[in-house]
Amino acid sequence: MSLIRKSKQVIKSSEITPESVYLNRRSVLQTIGTLSTGLAINLFANDSISANENQLNFSPNTGYSTTEPINSYEDITTYNNFYEFGMQKSDPYNYGSQFEPKPWSVKVSGEANKTGVFDLDDLIDINALEERIYRLRCVEAWSMVIPWVGIPLASIIKKLQPKLNAKYVAFETVYRPKQMPGQRRPALDWPYIEGLTMQEAMHPLTIIAVGLYGKELLNQNGAPMRLIVPWKYGFKSIKSINKIHFQSKQPLTSWNISAPNEYGFLANVNPEVDHPRWSQARERRIGSGFFGTKQPTLMFNGYAEDVANLYSGISLRRNF
Ligand SMILES: Nc1nc2c(c(=O)[nH]1)N[C@H]1C(S)=C(S)[C@@H](COP(=O)(O)O)O[C@H]1N2
Ligand SMILES: [Mo]
């Protein structure tokens, strides 16, 4: 599994890859994962698609991936929630291009031994990237299946050596109203903030994504680094993070500040607890063809086996 990432050759996928082509490429990758690195290089040297610098080396993590059909690159990069660029689903695609995600640094503060300002590369080992195909379930009752490229958040947190009283991790999105037109309007209390319990942050399903479809994240998806917590509603997965803070108290979160009766801190996907204004029992899979077709939403977005134990003894109705 760790063979491919050592290769200097990049893994290629065209700009807008049809799912079938992408999945074929994936099965090739899984096969060569068991062969030698040298062979992998040769295979890709023969690939007709030329290398782009925004393509990433990664190893597929099949153990943590769903086998459901993945959404198209076009769906994933044109239908977004990123209020910093506007409130319409097409706004992040249309108005995200002024944002400059390079170079990037992250300020780490609070209850940890290693604090200060870190370059992206200091926090994220680019040679350890994994691909994980996760469902993303938005609180607005739509969903997508996305092949993320990233690393476990736990690997970053371990580097930062949180102290024993660090019970929570708080995250902040960059504040750049000149590059983010949505931040020039009071849609939310900027900057966007989110948080997790330390247990949730250290959970092996929780990742920091730097790419998708094998390529670096585009601005609309939260370049250059964003959180992914697949068993929670999408709004927990904060984008373009430039601050991480370890603390003993539960962090404030943007959507909870904005509408506390609608969006809680935990925000676990739960088909049995409706949003005050709509049902959470079903979801519309983006790109599923016939408009309005809905499928049942799964408890913890289908990750119950892995995460239900984090919440034993807690009322998920009261702690929504
Ligand atoms: N900073 C920031 N992060 C954010 C948001 C946002 O508006 N601002 N929207 C959230 C919501 S509601 C969802 S559903 C996901 C959408 O991620 P995607 O556009 O990459 O699919 O991002 C989350 N992260
Ligand atoms: Mo969302």
Side-chain angles (χ1 to χ4, degrees):
M1 199 124 102
S2 59
L3 292 174
I4 295 165
R5 68 185 195 220
K6 304 284 185 214
S7 150
K8 284 255 155 52
Q9 249 351 78
V10 291
I11 289 162
K12 302 165 190 81
S13 58
S14 63
E15 189 73 21
I16 294 174
T17 315
E19 290 93 311
S20 55
V21 174
Y22 188 74
L23 289 171
N24 271 335
R25 197 175 297 285
R26 178 190 317 291
S27 63
V28 169
L29 288 176
Q30 279 162 9
T31 311
I32 63 172
T34 63
L35 305 175
S36 78
T37 311
L39 181 53
I41 290 170
N42 288 338
L43 270 176
F44 287 108
N46 290 334
D47 199 308
S48 58
I49 308 162
S50 67
N52 273 336
E53 63 178 59
N54 64 349
Q55 285 170 321
L56 299 165
N57 278 329
F58 60 86
S59 43
N61 186 327
T62 49
Y64 282 123
S65 293
T66 173
T67 53
E68 286 167 279
I70 53 182
N71 278 90
S72 70
Y73 190 70
E74 190 179 6
D75 281 345
I76 299 169
T77 58
T78 61
Y79 189 93
N80 299 99
N81 267 340
F82 199 170
Y83 274 31
E84 283 82 343
F85 296 120
M87 292 165 71
Q88 302 297 315
K89 300 288 178 272
S90 53
D91 286 346
Y93 169 77
N94 285 323
Y95 305 117
S97 60
Q98 300 299 306
F99 177 60
E100 290 169 12
K102 285 180 186 177
W104 195 259
S105 60
V106 179
K107 187 183 165 199
V108 177
S109 56
E111 305 293 338
N113 290 320
K114 307 273 181 191
T115 57
V117 177
F118 294 81
D119 284 342
L120 183 70
D121 296 352
D122 298 333
L123 290 182
I124 295 171
D125 179 0
I126 206 80
N127 294 310
L129 296 177
E130 296 176 13
E131 180 186 67
R132 300 194 184 191
I133 304 165
Y134 280 168
R135 282 178 291 277
L136 181 130
R137 172 48 160 90
C138 180
V139 75
E140 295 165 278
W142 52 265
S143 62
M144 291 199 211
V145 177
I146 302 179
W148 300 112
V149 177
I151 62 164
L153 174 59
S155 70
I156 298 177
I157 291 179
K158 280 178 201 151
K159 272 188 203 170
L160 301 174
Q161 301 172 13
K163 297 176 182 168
L164 278 178
N165 56 347
K167 301 291 184 213
Y168 296 89
V169 191
F171 303 91
E172 212 173 287
T173 294
V174 70
Y175 181 66
R176 288 189 194 165
K178 284 194 177 141
Q179 296 179 9
M180 298 176 138
Q183 287 182 336
R184 307 200 284 261
R185 295 185 288 269
L188 286 171
D189 214 349
W190 309 114
Y192 195 101
I193 52 175
E194 257 304 335
L196 297 172
T197 67
M198 184 59 83
Q199 259 191 322
E200 293 171 334
M202 294 298 290
H203 193 281
L205 279 172
T206 304
I207 60 171
I208 290 290
V210 296
L212 62 86
Y213 260 94
K215 297 151 68 85
E216 285 178 4
L217 289 178
L218 298 182
N219 290 348
Q220 57 265 42
N221 293 104
M225 60 181 276
R226 58 92 59 88
L227 183 65
I228 301 292
V229 197
W231 70 93
K232 294 181 179 283
Y233 290 119
F235 67 85
K236 296 296 288 184
S237 294
I238 179 174
K239 295 175 169 180
S240 305
I241 297 164
N242 79 334
K243 283 184 192 155
I244 298 176
H245 186 78
F246 295 95
Q247 57 194 72
S248 58
K249 285 192 191 139
Q250 182 174 301
L252 296 175
T253 61
S254 284
W255 280 103
N256 184 253
I257 293 169
S258 169
N261 57 327
E262 299 186 13
Y263 310 106
F265 176 77
L266 286 185
N268 292 320
V269 174
N270 189 339
E272 289 159 23
V273 178
D274 288 340
H275 184 279
R277 291 183 281 134
W278 60 80
S279 166
Q280 294 292 22
R282 301 175 76 76
E283 65 201 55
R284 181 169 61 92
R285 182 61 53 83
I286 299 300
S288 59
F290 180 63
F291 182 77
T293 305
K294 290 197 167 184
Q295 60 192 83
T297 285
L298 302 173
M299 188 66 196
F300 294 110
N301 200 22
Y303 303 95
E305 228 177 90
D306 299 294
V307 299
N309 65 308
L310 296 180
Y311 310 102
S312 58
I314 292 176
S315 160
L316 295 175
R317 188 165 291 279
R318 243 179 301 140
N319 299 276
F320 54 87

